Amino acid sequence: MFPLSVDPAERRALLAITLLALAEALILFVISFSVAGNHFMFPLDDAYIHLQYARMLAHGDLLVYTPGAMPSGGMTSPLFVALLAPLFVVGVTGTKAAFASFALGAGLWALANVWLHQIARRKFGDQMAVGASVLMLTNGHLLWNFLSGMETGLVALLLLGVVASAWLWWHEEKPGARLALFAFLALLPLARPEGAVAIIALGIVILLRRGERPRLSLLTLALCAVPFVLWLATLRIGTGDWRPAGVAVKSLAAAPVAGWAEKLGFAAQSFWAIQARFLFNVVPDDGWAAFVGTETLPYFPPGFGLLILAGFGLLVMGETRSGKPGAGLLLALLWLGTLGAACTGLFTFAHHQRYLAPATPLAILMGCAALRRLAQLFQQLENTARRAMILGLALASLPSLAWWAVEHGRNSRDLYNVLREASFRIEPDRTPLGITDAGILAFYTSRETVDLVGLTTASFAKSTLHGPGATLEALSRLPQEKRPAELATYRPWFDEAFPLQAPRWTVTTPRTTSAWGNVLGLYPIDWEQIDRSDVIPLVPGARLLAAVDVADLASEAAASYEPRHRAGDLGRNLLATELGPSVLFPASLDIPTTATLTLPTLVDGGRVLRGERFTISASELPKGNLLLVGRVAPPRQLAAPTPYLLQARITAVATGYSVERPLSFPETPDSETVWDLGPVLDEVGGVLSSQPGRWMIEIAPDIPSDAAWTSCHWWVFVARTDD
């Protein structure tokens, strides 16, 4: 079967494997359907993101997620979406389309099992081919992933296709194998961005082959990346960002506060931790346990993790020392590359089982390599030892089929009880709907959605990593016609000050399967509070010179704003969730309010800081006192709530001259505090004939300390003077 030809002697085996694989898919469907309360749902909300993009693609909208929405980069697997789109072209929609996607997963499962058997037979012989097939067919975790509605099965199949094509080209010199290899390499990054590691892995093998025939130049190999580059260019043109949204929101490189050393350390920790969890079922520490639990999950049979690592070493050392590295080394590098790619994510600790699943067939092949070598130690009893070990591993792995089938149903039931029930309650409307789970609610309501996480709404892709304050600021920048009146979310997703009113309704599931709880509600958004935060304070007798809205990424960029955090402020996942809050203030009397509010308030996004600086500019030197107006929560010391003073340093960029002024806080601060810094711009100068004046304003504690403050908004005024 393409790319591998079928030997007449293995036709029966391949037919049996195909029928067994399809039977497993059917049995999982029956069990899952029953456990889910006779409802069909995929176990992951993200599966419906693929279906929604496929529906829009069928209507001619390539990057648009919901009708009326702006283009976004949430289509992380354009190849998988392209496979689903014909369903909607021919009129298959709703749950029927989900059924068809499940059937596609079952077909991929059967084909992957066939290809794995053929690869193992050519590499390890007939007995180990049977062993590899048994280990894959009894791996319930892999079956769950193939039938989850995600692109996992497609990526796993393409990885096997790369190994099979490389074997045919290097070891059997079959015609057409090179073209098949190019095709699989070109398609992998379109199935999942991390698939680009396959091109790198093949490049390493080519370099190690040192000109061994058949040859392939690195330049020719680079052509395999052209389709992916074209896709990234499409994203850049359509959304303004070349990165898929999954990369922009979830990648380690996108972490906004951490430095490169912290990111490197986090990746190294993830590399160790996911091996401990995935290969040996060891939970590294309590922090991981909070996300993945402490129970033993049947990923592999007990002890098989050691065989995988041993097989990796055998393939790498054996083929590099032979001087003719080939498909075996490529297989090992593909597995290592997939593991490494998973460690570049911010949420590896929560999603490792999904990220690593595509490489599980490769891991099974590596385990078989070690198993064969182990059996050879028994010499005359080699065949008996091989059969005994395969049988033992199969018996140990078999219960995982039942466990993961039931888990598929439990996950599906949880999604039905929360998101599907919510979709029934959301009324048809032409106004946008705010969401934080982007799949089911968009697919089953047909509403225009605003995804505050940023996966399917591009304007939130950057802000979500900076915490609720930045999300609030991105929300406030939406034009009136795009503003959602309501937000369907889990309330703990945002901090307490985030302007959400009492929910219109809530839905719940008894089992908590999300870090944000098990209660989802529809919350009206208090736009009146949000809009008050952008009103410029009234400062009599002064004119506004500059402003920076902290946590508003566009405003920060315009002011060259630089937040400063102390080392150690960041948590395990390097996010700014606690460092970027939204803050509730009593509103100034100078800000217009409605009669219905007896105690006016406003909410503003901000950052928890150890220091900050920004620049202001003017074409000529402003005359008069500089008034610094800040919406700042008073500084506090973390060890004890001792108040601290801040100081402002004003520096002329052109001359380097600077002055410092203390910033004290009243006992009961209002929403804005005004500090008169005096004629500081006159003191430092800074306007040259060849360029406009630029001044840097730096805010810091008056003495080195643990003082931290929450900064939300700065305005710089110049008091008018009588000429």
Side-chain angles (χ1 to χ4, degrees), residues 435-575:
I435 56 174
T436 51
D437 279 316
I440 292 172
L441 296 180
F443 184 68
Y444 281 111
T445 64
S446 298
R447 290 274 296 271
E448 179 184 351
T449 58
V450 178
D451 178 11
L452 271 63
V453 177
L455 287 174
T456 59
T457 302
S459 57
F460 289 88
K462 293 181 179 179
S463 62
T464 189
L465 293 177
H466 290 259
T471 299
L472 176 64
E473 296 295 346
L475 192 66
S476 70
R477 277 185 169 266
L478 291 176
Q480 289 289 337
E481 67 276 9
K482 295 296 182 182
R483 288 185 167 187
E486 300 163 325
L487 175 62
T489 189
Y490 303 92
R491 188 61 184 89
W493 194 294
F494 301 99
D495 49 31
E496 294 182 2
F498 203 85
L500 300 178
Q501 298 175 352
R504 301 193 189 281
W505 48 257
T506 59
V507 289
T508 184
T509 183
R511 193 172 76 137
T512 301
T513 58
S514 167
W516 310 111
N518 60 344
V519 179
L520 182 137
L522 186 67
Y523 296 87
I525 299 175
D526 191 342
W527 283 103
E528 193 171 22
Q529 268 196 353
I530 296 174
D531 288 338
R532 279 199 294 273
S533 69
D534 291 326
V535 176
I536 300 173
L538 298 178
V539 181
R543 64 181 178 89
L544 181 65
L545 183 62
V548 55
D549 191 352
V550 179
D552 183 321
L553 303 186
S555 177
E556 288 184 347
S560 301
Y561 179 84
E562 296 181 23
R564 294 182 179 178
H565 303 277
R566 189 189 63 170
D569 280 341
L570 298 174
R572 161 184 299 277
N573 58 1
L574 304 188
L575 296 180

Side-chain angles (χ1 to χ4, degrees), residues 34-49:
S34 175
V35 172
N38 296 331
H39 300 295
F40 173 73
M41 294 290 293
F42 281 124
L44 296 171
D45 181 69
D46 288 0
Y48 294 89
I49 296 179

Side-chain angles (χ1 to χ4, degrees), residues 357-398:
T360 295
L362 306 181
I364 290 173
L365 289 171
M366 291 191 303
C368 288
L371 199 63
R372 184 183 65 161
R373 180 61 62 89
L374 186 60
Q376 290 172 351
L377 298 178
F378 291 86
Q379 299 179 2
Q380 292 90 347
L381 298 176
E382 177 183 343
N383 290 337
T384 302
R386 185 186 296 117
R387 294 191 189 99
M389 286 186 287
I390 292 173
L391 178 61
L393 289 170
L395 291 176
S397 182
L398 191 61

Side-chain angles (χ1 to χ4, degrees), residues 1 47 53 165 235 357 366 490 591 597 712:
M1 185 174 294
Y53 271 116
S165 300
L235 290 177
M366 291 191 303
Y490 303 92
I591 296 178
L597 288 174
C712 294

Side-chain angles (χ1 to χ4, degrees), residues 264-281:
L264 180 62
F266 182 81
Q269 181 193 35
S270 297
F271 187 82
W272 168 77
I274 62 177
Q275 288 185 84
R277 179 61 167 165
F278 195 67
L279 298 182
F280 303 105
N281 250 309

Side-chain angles (χ1 to χ4, degrees), residues 274-333:
I274 62 177
Q275 288 185 84
R277 179 61 167 165
F278 195 67
L279 298 182
F280 303 105
N281 250 309
V282 175
V283 179
D285 56 39
D286 293 339
W288 280 68
F291 287 90
V292 300
T294 57
E295 71 273 15
T296 298
L297 299 179
Y299 295 133
F300 290 107
F304 196 70
L306 284 175
L307 291 175
I308 292 172
L309 296 179
F312 174 83
L314 286 171
L315 291 175
V316 172
M317 296 301 296
E319 294 207 355
T320 52
R321 293 174 67 180
S322 70
K324 290 187 177 182
L329 176 60
L330 177 62
L331 186 157
L333 292 179

